[in-house]
Amino acid sequence: MVAAGRPRRSCLAVPGSSLKMLDKARGLPADQVFLDLEDAVAPLAKPEARKNVVAALNEGDWGDKTRVVRVNDLTTAWTYRDVVEVVEGAGANLDCVMLPKVQSAAHVEWLDLTLTQIEKTIGLPVGGIGIEAQIENAAGLVNVDAIAAASPRVETIIFGPADFMASINMRSMVVGGLIPDYPGDPYHYILMRLLMAARMHDKQAIDGPFLQIRDVDAFRAVAKRSAALGFDGKWVLHPGQIDAANEIYAPAQDDYDRAELILDAYEHATSEAGGKLGAVMLGDEMIDEASRKMALVIAAKGRAAGLTRTTRFTPPES
């Protein structure tokens, strides 16, 4: 299944308390920006950060970026004010609300109902603001299927590695990195579990941050693992990570061209003009319906990334 939704190869975290960073983020080539009211903002700075975020959404030119605000989690006293102030103040310029530390479907349902009430009150289209659900502990992972299905507003399932590592007592201080004493990838099960829940409900799956922000080579290595599984994008905490994420979570040009050729060749083969064939050779490769489904995934990612075809299909002479 091809997950529906906007391009999210790079999801840039921007502290809501920093006017400088809010201003700079507008001009960066990230697919998505999320203005953060949670971990990146000190408790005493949260009220002012809400005002900063509303102003930034309303006054800034964000181009075609997906605009998201991460509110505080529902175990805190800040969440309801985050949602009310941000959506009432800038809902017309907001694409999604990100809810961190989601532990059950009830958390998503609360946000859905609250958004609906605000949208009705201020005259926005009901359901127009999406939800991004961040999974950061064992309860969230165990309940991720119900979380993904909790609301049609849900657009993404996000891995929050730092809090997750702490919640399960993982013995590592390098967020997202491999653990030398473990003979494998300690995050593989978690990532696959999130991916299965996301794809079951046609949501996007987003990998979380890599905190060693100046080590772009290490960022690439971590990102390539989730991209290989099928994740749609990854958080970036520094402008230096954006280009790497945009590259890694988009298909290579050769793969994109091949995918488009397969789609064209299979469409021709199954047509009247092509002989109504269910399987046909494309060069040295046999393609069929399964090939079409695989090609559709790569082609969709390439189109979303703005890639342009460099080859064209020519039907064989009969």
Side-chain angles (χ1 to χ4, degrees):
M1 181 180 290
V2 181
R6 329 164 201 265
R8 285 183 169 96
R9 297 168 299 168
S10 52
C11 303
L12 177 65
V14 186
S17 55
S18 173
L19 295 176
K20 177 181 178 181
M21 292 184 182
L22 288 168
D23 183 60
K24 182 177 181 179
R26 297 187 185 103
L28 296 174
D31 285 345
Q32 171 176 303
V33 293
F34 72 88
L35 313 184
D36 195 14
L37 295 175
E38 199 215 10
D39 286 349
V41 179
L44 293 178
K46 291 184 188 292
E48 188 64 27
R50 292 188 195 118
K51 295 181 175 61
N52 295 343
V53 164
V54 168
L57 289 170
N58 288 336
E59 299 167 9
D61 180 7
W62 296 95
D64 58 359
K65 294 177 176 63
T66 298
R67 300 154 298 176
V68 179
V69 172
R70 180 167 73 159
V71 298
N72 287 275
D73 80 88
L74 277 172
T75 66
T76 72
W78 301 300
T79 317
Y80 83 102
R81 292 304 319 158
D82 291 343
V83 176
V84 171
E85 289 188 28
V86 169
V87 180
E88 286 190 348
N93 297 310
L94 179 65
D95 295 310
C96 294
V97 172
M98 184 188 301
L99 187 63
K101 298 177 179 64
V102 178
Q103 299 185 54
S104 70
H107 287 189
V108 174
E109 291 164 356
W110 173 87
L111 181 55
D112 184 320
L113 290 170
T114 304
L115 289 172
T116 297
Q117 290 177 329
I118 299 172
E119 287 166 339
K120 288 180 177 179
T121 299
I122 65 177
L124 292 176
V126 172
I129 297 173
I131 293 174
E132 299 195 345
Q134 190 175 13
I135 306 301
E136 300 186 73
N137 59 27
L141 189 65
V142 169
N143 295 321
V144 69
D145 291 321
I147 289 167
S151 166
R153 293 182 188 265
V154 175
E155 296 189 13
T156 67
I157 301 296
I158 306 166
F159 179 38
D163 280 283
F164 198 99
M165 292 165 66
S167 79
I168 63 171
N169 297 338
M170 186 176 282
R171 295 175 60 184
S172 175
M173 292 295 291
V174 180
V175 175
L178 297 181
I179 300 174
D181 291 337
Y182 184 78
D185 183 347
Y187 308 99
H188 181 77
Y189 168 76
I190 302 167
L191 292 173
M192 286 299 292
R193 188 70 189 84
L194 297 177
L195 183 64
M196 293 305 101
R199 293 297 186 254
M200 179 179 177
H201 299 285
D202 197 25
K203 313 300 182 185
Q204 292 184 331
I206 305 298
D207 196 6
F210 184 73
L211 271 58
Q212 294 174 308
I213 59 175
R214 301 193 186 281
D215 192 342
V216 179
D217 289 339
F219 173 87
R220 284 180 169 274
V222 171
K224 285 179 179 179
R225 297 203 301 270
S226 63
L229 296 177
F231 271 63
D232 298 287
K234 185 173 179 63
W235 279 15
V236 292
L237 303 182
H238 186 274
Q241 297 176 331
I242 295 174
D243 287 344
N246 287 345
E247 173 194 330
I248 290 166
Y249 290 95
Q253 183 67 50
D254 288 348
D255 291 338
Y256 172 64
D257 284 337
R258 183 66 178 174
E260 294 284 16
L261 283 176
I262 289 172
L263 292 176
D264 288 348
Y266 188 69
E267 182 181 11
H268 173 76
T270 55
S271 70
E272 189 78 34
K276 298 182 286 187
L277 302 174
V280 68
M281 295 300 294
L282 179 61
D284 296 330
E285 179 185 5
M286 189 196 78
I287 61 171
D288 57 13
E289 174 61 14
S291 306
R292 185 194 70 83
K293 291 175 181 176
M294 294 169 64
L296 189 61
V297 172
I298 303 302
K301 286 181 178 289
R303 293 167 191 168
L307 296 183
T308 302
R309 295 181 66 168
T310 62
T311 59
R312 294 291 169 184
F313 173 69
T314 302
E317 295 182 3
S318 55

